[in-house]
Structure formats: C-alpha cells, structure tokens
Amino acid sequence: MMTLPKTMRAVEITQPGKPEVLKIGTRPVPQPKAGEVLIRVAAAGVNRPDVMQRTGHYPVPPGASDIPGLELAGEIVATGEGVKEWRLGDTATALVQGGGYAEYCSAPAPQCLPIPKGMTPAEAASLPETFFSVWSNVFDRAGLKPGESLLVQGGSSGIGVAAIQMAKALGHTVFATAGSAEKCAACVKLGATRAINYRTEDFVAVLKEVTGGKGVNVILDMVGGEYVDRELKCLADDGRIAVIAFLGGAQATINLSEILRRRLTLSGSGLRPRSVEFKGAIAKKLREWIWPLVEAGKIKAIIHKTFPLEQAAKAHELMESGAHIGKIVLTV
C-alpha cells in the first residue's frame, strides 16, 4: 500500500453565493469503501452543476461529498474491498457524485475509465461528466439510431462539444445552436453540418430549410423554457427531445396535439443521483464505443482554459460568463 497523508487541500463552499465563496480548506483524505478506489487527483473538470451547487440551487445527494466536482483524472492510490479490475498505480478518469475539487477523491470502481492513450490528465478530466450525460440521454434515452440526425442546443458548451463529436464520429448528421459567429464556427469545425446563431437566426426556420421540411430526429436540450415548444416544431415525425437542464426556465407551454399527432417524445433526466450500476453500464458502453474513437483522434478533449485548484473561483467566473468554448478544468 502507498503511504498517504491524513489530510488534503480541497475547495469548500463556505456559504451559498458568488464565486468568491469558494475557498481552499483542509479535509481528511477519504477512505475508499467496498467497491471504490481512491484517486490522487491530477485534474478535475468544472461543470454547470458545480455552479448551481455553489449558489445553493443543487442539493448534494445523500451520502455524497459536499466538496464540488463531478469528474476527475489521476492515479489510483488505494482500493476498497472487492475491487479487482483496478490496481495501485493505474491512471483513471472517473465520474463521481462530488469531491473532485480536491487532492484526493474516492470513486466507485465501475464509474472509472482508463485515461485514453495520448491524453493528459487535464484532458481526461474533461470527459466523464459530459460523455456520460450525452451517452445516457442521446443514445440510451432518446435512442439516436443509425441514419438519424441530432440538434445540440448550446453546441459550444462542454456538453455541446462532446455531443457534436460523439454523434458525428458515429456517423450522424449534427446541427447545433450557439450564441456568436465564433462559437458557431467552432461547432462546424467539430463536426456540425450547420451551426445556427440563435441571436440572429430562427433555429426553427433554419432547420426546416436544411432538412427539406422533415426536421431532426433527436434534440439535446439544456435550455428548456420557451425553447421546448419551438423544438417540437423542429422534430421529424417520431422525434425525441432529451432535456438535461433548463437554463432558460423550468416552465414550458407546449402543444400536446403536436405530440399526439406526430408521435413525439419529450423526456428528461439527471445523472448525478443515479445508481452506481446505472453509471457503470454507461461506462462500459463508452469504453466499447467511444474510447476507441478518442484514442484514434476522431473525438478530442476541447479545453478552453485550465486553472490551478486555488483559483476555482476564477474558473466559476468564466463558466458563468459563458465566454468559453468547451471545458474548463482545475489542475491539482
């Protein structure tokens, strides 16, 4: 066994509020439970749920760490009872329920994946939260099938750049929305057939035009609000909308006759509270279908900027500004 310190540095939310409430504190090094591994964190991804947790709008699930951070990469330094697939010294990236903004973090073994060949820990840390979310919602829940098309709302976000690349690499036609010409250009570079500037264009009209009036088969929506009714008009018959966030509002008015007449499906899901078994099943699919594409260079980690752990507040400021294209990562 490796000799481990008793305490570690970790980012704490000292009270709900603005980014400056994030402070470096001292916490005990976690002990891995049965079925878990302990990872010495090299890097941790920053995600919108971290911001929501900091502001007091995303309660921590029972039993999860109150330290923010849902994804990380580093070296396995201890294993809990029953863990057979990982050994000390292995490098891994992991999806966790919390605790990533720290020097050490425990993770359920089924939610760990090997760092893809050729990737740095910072790049690997940017993958789990978005890749697990996209696979769960686009491919499992919405059932994107061969030959079908996808619209990604917020294509330049961390979720967006993952969804565009994953769907494109698997042979799908992808469309995306973004809020500037620069962000739209980034979406096209990543594989979108057409990127729509939602500030200057009507995405409903554009999609009707570029699909010959047919519409798209699946929409990945993180906006919600008034977008939902407009999205129904963008769908092809038997189309599906997967809602993963509601940055534009939690209330929507929709036309139920449109849903019945054209057999449309509207669903939503959150990943954080789901079981280890559920997330482990996604990890297996990612390893089978996506990791080979990552290692072949067909899907890349898109990192906008990295910050040292002690500058977590600056990382959150950037996240809230919306100026980034891709992921924001903390290095430890």
Side-chain angles (χ1 to χ4, degrees):
M1 296 292 289
M2 297 182 180
T3 302
L4 301 175
K6 292 191 180 335
T7 61
M8 65 178 184
R9 292 185 308 140
V11 174
E12 298 178 328
I13 302 172
T14 54
Q15 63 183 59
K18 295 182 178 180
E20 54 266 28
V21 304
L22 297 175
K23 305 287 186 185
I24 291 289
T26 300
R27 292 290 186 94
V29 171
Q31 299 298 311
K33 300 173 185 175
E36 293 184 341
V37 299
L38 180 67
I39 298 175
R40 180 186 289 124
V41 180
V46 176
N47 293 282
R48 186 68 60 175
D50 306 340
V51 173
M52 294 172 63
Q53 180 179 331
R54 190 204 74 225
T55 58
H57 295 108
Y58 196 164
V60 175
S65 171
D66 65 325
I67 298 168
L70 302 177
E71 59 184 352
L72 55 94
E75 178 187 1
I76 293 176
V77 294
T79 58
E81 184 182 350
V83 174
K84 298 188 180 349
E85 64 271 36
W86 296 99
R87 302 189 177 196
L88 302 189
D90 285 348
T91 58
T93 183
L95 180 74
V96 294
Q97 274 198 318
Y101 292 15
E103 292 181 310
Y104 294 86
C105 183
S106 58
Q111 294 173 205
C112 297
L113 285 160
I115 292 179
K117 293 171 185 169
M119 270 200 174
T120 66
E123 290 172 328
S126 75
L127 304 181
E129 169 66 11
T130 52
F131 280 45
F132 275 70
S133 294
V134 170
W135 188 275
S136 176
N137 287 279
V138 172
F139 296 98
D140 284 346
R141 180 169 286 273
L144 186 66
K145 301 179 186 67
E148 290 190 329
S149 58
L150 170 69
L151 168 64
V152 180
Q153 299 284 24
S156 63
S157 66
I159 287 277
V161 300
I164 291 170
Q165 291 190 92
M166 289 167 68
K168 177 67 176 178
L170 290 171
H172 300 277
T173 300
V174 185
F175 305 99
T177 62
S180 71
E182 179 191 11
K183 290 182 176 181
C184 284
C187 293
V188 171
K189 187 176 180 181
L190 290 170
T193 297
R194 173 73 154 85
I196 304 158
N197 187 336
Y198 62 78
R199 299 186 192 278
T200 60
E201 300 178 283
D202 177 359
F203 68 80
V204 179
V206 171
L207 285 169
K208 286 288 187 184
E209 179 184 351
V210 298
T211 63
K214 176 187 174 184
V216 295
N217 302 106
V218 172
I219 298 175
L220 181 62
D221 179 23
M222 59 194 82
V223 182
E226 64 174 16
Y227 265 41
V228 178
D229 192 53
R230 296 170 65 194
E231 287 168 344
L232 292 173
K233 297 179 175 67
C234 297
L235 285 177
D237 290 353
D238 297 296
R240 292 86 72 197
I241 299 173
V243 179
I244 59 171
F246 36 86
L247 300 176
Q251 302 294 321
T253 300
I254 61 175
N255 185 343
L256 291 175
S257 67
E258 185 90 349
I259 292 177
L260 269 64
R261 183 173 59 86
R262 300 203 295 118
R263 304 173 304 279
L264 307 180
T265 301
L266 173 62
S267 70
S269 73
L271 188 60
R272 191 176 188 181
R274 300 303 294 267
S275 69
V276 172
E277 291 74 21
F278 180 87
K279 295 171 187 173
I282 298 172
K284 288 180 180 178
K285 291 176 182 176
L286 290 174
R287 190 162 187 174
E288 178 183 359
W289 291 95
I290 300 300
W291 252 229
L293 297 171
V294 173
E295 294 187 339
K298 295 181 178 180
I299 298 174
K300 301 181 184 299
I302 308 299
I303 296 180
H304 183 86
K305 191 169 183 179
T306 63
F307 293 87
L309 188 67
E310 56 269 20
Q311 292 182 15
K314 290 186 177 180
H316 276 222
E317 286 174 5
L318 176 57
M319 170 68 74
E320 290 182 300
S321 76
H324 57 293
I325 296 174
K327 293 298 292 282
I328 301 165
V329 175
L330 299 176
T331 55
V332 182

